[in-house]
Amino acid sequence: MSSRQKTHLNMRQLNKLESIIYLAGGIIMVAGAGLYAFLMIQPFACWLMLVGAIVFVLVQARQRYLGTQLVVRRLRRIMALAGWGFILAGLFMVEDCYHFLRPLFSGSLDGYSSYVSIFHHNWVILLLLSSVIEMYTTHRISYELKKEGDKESN
């Protein structure tokens, strides 16, 4: 058995259908964010982003680490945090478009100011932070699994 095959024994692999759904969720999330950012069909794009993020995160959660290495377990938890950030960014995007929570803050000028400082275009920050964390953890997990596979082959 090659070291690459041994490496992936500790990480539950997605089947073909799950991989397709995972990829589609990521593409839908990116398409929704891009359409919203470029001011194209925003009332639809925000929902597209949210649905894509939920699908992406749910399928990603199905890919479990079955090994005992603490570094990879910690990185998987950090990756889950990034997933929650994607979903929260989608919710902030929906709120930015539809203003569902604005009546709760509209009692005073300070309330409206708080609403704007919390929700107005802050989905971008959440999306950026989650994307950076996701990229870091993905590359780091890959490195750690490769290192673990190399140890097993020696």
Side-chain angles (χ1 to χ4, degrees):
M1 187 180 288
S2 73
S3 66
R4 182 155 175 81
Q5 289 172 332
K6 284 182 183 178
T7 299
H8 293 292
L9 288 178
N10 290 332
M11 191 69 114
R12 181 190 171 278
Q13 295 300 299
L14 300 174
N15 64 35
K16 191 164 185 88
L17 179 63
E18 288 172 330
S19 295
I20 291 169
I21 294 170
Y22 181 65
L23 182 62
I27 290 171
I28 290 169
M29 182 172 51
V30 169
L35 288 171
Y36 194 88
F38 290 113
L39 308 174
M40 302 166 89
I41 55 173
Q42 285 187 324
F44 175 70
C46 62
W47 292 108
L48 203 62
M49 161 64 183
L50 181 59
V51 169
I54 290 170
V55 169
F56 181 82
V57 170
L58 287 177
V59 175
Q60 186 179 60
R62 290 188 45 81
Q63 188 178 20
R64 301 228 181 258
Y65 176 65
L66 305 172
T68 57
Q69 195 174 20
L70 290 176
V71 173
V72 178
R73 288 183 181 271
R74 179 183 54 85
L75 288 167
R76 289 288 300 165
R77 283 193 293 268
I78 294 170
M79 187 180 274
L81 180 68
W84 280 106
F86 285 137
I87 293 171
L88 198 56
L91 290 171
F92 270 53
M93 190 182 287
V94 169
E95 177 58 33
D96 193 40
C97 186
Y98 288 99
H99 309 291
F100 291 129
L101 299 177
R102 185 189 287 175
L104 298 175
F105 290 87
S106 63
S108 68
L109 188 57
D110 287 337
Y112 181 74
S113 176
S114 296
Y115 174 83
V116 169
S117 66
I118 293 170
F119 294 108
H120 189 68
H121 298 314
N122 284 339
W123 63 269
V124 176
I125 295 166
L126 286 168
L127 186 62
L128 177 66
L129 289 174
S130 298
S131 299
V132 169
I133 292 170
E134 183 77 22
M135 285 181 13
Y136 168 75
T137 56
T138 299
H139 290 291
R140 186 72 195 283
I141 287 172
S142 175
Y143 172 77
E144 291 295 330
L145 290 175
K146 183 178 181 301
K147 192 166 73 171
E148 183 181 335
D150 290 345
K151 282 182 185 176
E152 288 177 4
S153 64
N154 291 333

